[in-house]
Amino acid sequence: MRPMGKLRRTVLAGLAVGVSGTALAAALAVPAQADGASRRDGRPDGASHAGGAPEGQDRTGGGALGWHLTDTGTDARFRGLAAVSRTSAWVAGSAGTVLRTSDGGRTWRDVSPAGAAEAELEFRDIEAFDGRRAVALAIGEGEASRIFRTEDGGTSWTESFRNTDARAFYDCVTFFDSRHGLAMSDPVDGRFRILSTRDGGASWKVLPDAGMPAALPGEAGFAASGQCLVASGPKDVWLATGGAATARVLHSADRGLHWTVTDSTIPAGDPARGVFGLAFRDRKHGLAVGGDYRADQASPRAASVTGDGGRTWRQATTPPPAYRSGVAWLPYSRSAALAVGPTGTDLTTDGGRTWRTVDTGSYDTVDCTADLGCWAAGEKGRVARLTSGRR
């Protein structure tokens, strides 16, 4: 076993204080600076308040933990994020933009697929297996929905799927391992459509929908954070919905062939409301976040939790105070997780029952790795990593 680094020791020490999480909550609390307004919804429209912490600044001293912004050199909005390690990550976003770092965010390399900017592709999800292999999803109606794959760190990309059905709109992609993965579309002929790959995204096929429950009127997924379709383990996958009378979570235990469906506790009843992001730390314990993405609308009951693989969901007793689009479990913890949205970051240290706002910067998505490589990404080129003040 390699020696435990300073960041891991600091995080584990913070988590060791118990369910109050005081040390970690304080460490993550960093001041924010407003930097304007921009779009915040799961599709291309809307408005939000933005804020963030300057690089290296925190409230709790030189050794504290916090989000530290990196210089991406672009104003693209990054809703797609794949954290590989503490030093390596990929982001994908608007204007056909894909970036990659291998030095902890000190520098970013533009590895956008050729022609993606000219085609005005909107990348909303990216899944990476390492620093060289990744699969990126562009969203939209008809042929705007495409999947690209690289095996050389983004130097070259292959378009492995282009949607030819004008009724389909692909939202998210996920992988069980480096070969097996799924992508999901909003309902076609009354049921969510699922793509499957067995070769790492090199080829895709539409799965039969006989095992998919009927969609509700107006039901869809939100392409807001790359977390409306998530997998845990070799076969389990969950799909989040909104827009209908009820926000639901669908679960498959056989890689998308058969699904069960459960109502979540997150309010819906409007095209702008529902479950926007899911995270499972194993096949039983999961978190759901969402709300109403419109900045002028409240988002009560914006988080829920399951301990039985999604068969039942319980509302958070103290949910985040506003809409949240992304969520991730912290490594080496059975109870700590982060949720992010345009108005802040929230921390739970009791498995999702209560949440506390620890940062007011604007982020759309968050992802963590086994070596404590936690990253967040969002509007105006914002990408941050969780670091100690001394780094």
Side-chain angles (χ1 to χ4, degrees):
M1 179 180 294
R2 289 182 291 181
M4 184 166 59
K6 179 178 69 175
L7 179 59
R8 180 176 172 183
R9 289 196 301 270
T10 305
V11 171
L12 293 181
L15 293 174
V17 303
V19 295
S20 67
T22 303
L24 184 57
L28 286 171
V30 292
Q33 292 183 341
D35 59 3
S38 70
R39 301 175 301 181
R40 63 174 289 177
D41 64 315
R43 301 283 169 81
D45 305 315
S48 72
H49 172 75
E55 171 70 16
Q57 182 177 350
D58 62 54
R59 182 178 296 149
T60 56
L65 296 176
W67 289 129
H68 292 266
L69 288 170
T70 66
D71 184 5
T72 61
T74 178
D75 62 357
R77 186 163 196 168
F78 294 117
R79 296 185 185 270
L81 166 65
V84 176
S85 69
R86 287 173 57 186
T87 58
S88 178
W90 302 68
V91 289
S94 59
T97 307
V98 179
L99 306 181
R100 180 176 63 84
T101 184
S102 58
D103 58 10
R106 284 188 286 273
T107 61
W108 289 89
R109 178 185 173 194
D110 187 339
V111 294
S112 306
E118 293 76 8
E120 299 182 340
L121 296 184
E122 286 281 336
F123 288 110
R124 296 293 182 91
D125 200 356
I126 187 165
E127 301 291 324
F129 310 117
D130 50 42
R132 297 185 60 80
R133 299 175 298 157
V135 173
L137 171 71
I139 61 99
E141 296 178 351
E143 293 192 6
S145 285
R146 308 178 193 183
I147 298 176
F148 295 82
R149 178 176 181 261
T150 183
E151 292 187 312
D152 56 13
T155 300
S156 63
W157 294 83
T158 300
E159 182 182 305
S160 58
F161 171 78
R162 183 180 297 205
N163 174 45
T164 57
D165 190 333
R167 302 168 298 171
F169 187 117
Y170 285 86
D171 299 292
C172 289
V173 62
T174 191
F175 276 81
F176 304 95
D177 52 45
S178 62
R179 295 186 59 81
H180 300 89
L182 302 176
M184 59 82 67
S185 164
D186 290 342
V188 176
D189 294 329
R191 299 177 190 274
F192 285 93
R193 176 169 288 180
I194 304 296
L195 285 180
S196 174
T197 181
R198 296 182 178 180
D199 53 17
S203 63
W204 299 82
K205 69 174 183 178
V206 176
L207 292 182
D209 65 3
M212 174 67 71
L216 300 175
E219 192 172 28
F222 291 104
S225 61
Q227 296 179 343
C228 58
L229 184 74
V230 300
S232 180
K235 294 184 178 181
D236 287 277
V237 60
W238 294 263
L239 188 160
T241 83
T246 303
R248 307 193 296 175
V249 178
L250 286 69
H251 171 238
S252 171
D254 58 7
R255 293 182 180 166
L257 291 176
H258 300 88
W259 298 79
T260 57
V261 62
T262 305
D263 293 349
S264 77
T265 67
I266 296 176
D270 187 279
R273 299 175 189 156
V275 180
F276 282 73
L278 297 169
F280 277 79
R281 65 174 173 83
D282 53 40
R283 67 189 309 264
K284 289 187 176 181
H285 298 89
L287 303 169
V289 298
D292 190 320
Y293 65 68
R294 295 170 295 192
D296 61 345
Q297 297 294 314
S299 292
R301 310 202 310 270
S304 57
V305 58
T306 182
D308 57 15
R311 288 193 294 274
T312 60
W313 291 87
R314 305 184 307 278
Q315 176 170 338
T317 56
T318 305
Y323 157 76
R324 295 293 180 252
S325 54
V327 60
W329 291 93
L330 284 171
Y332 304 103
S333 172
R334 298 174 61 86
S335 58
L338 296 171
V340 300
T343 61
T345 298
D346 302 296
L347 168 73
T348 179
T349 55
D350 57 13
R353 290 187 293 276
T354 63
W355 296 84
R356 174 185 175 185
T357 301
V358 293
D359 177 69
T360 55
S362 175
Y363 299 104
D364 293 311
T365 188
V366 60
D367 194 17
C368 295
T369 63
D371 68 344
L372 302 173
C374 288
W375 298 77
E379 63 184 344
K380 297 186 177 180
R382 292 168 58 85
V383 181
R385 61 191 182 98
L386 188 65
T387 66
S388 70
R390 295 190 180 96
R391 293 191 302 283

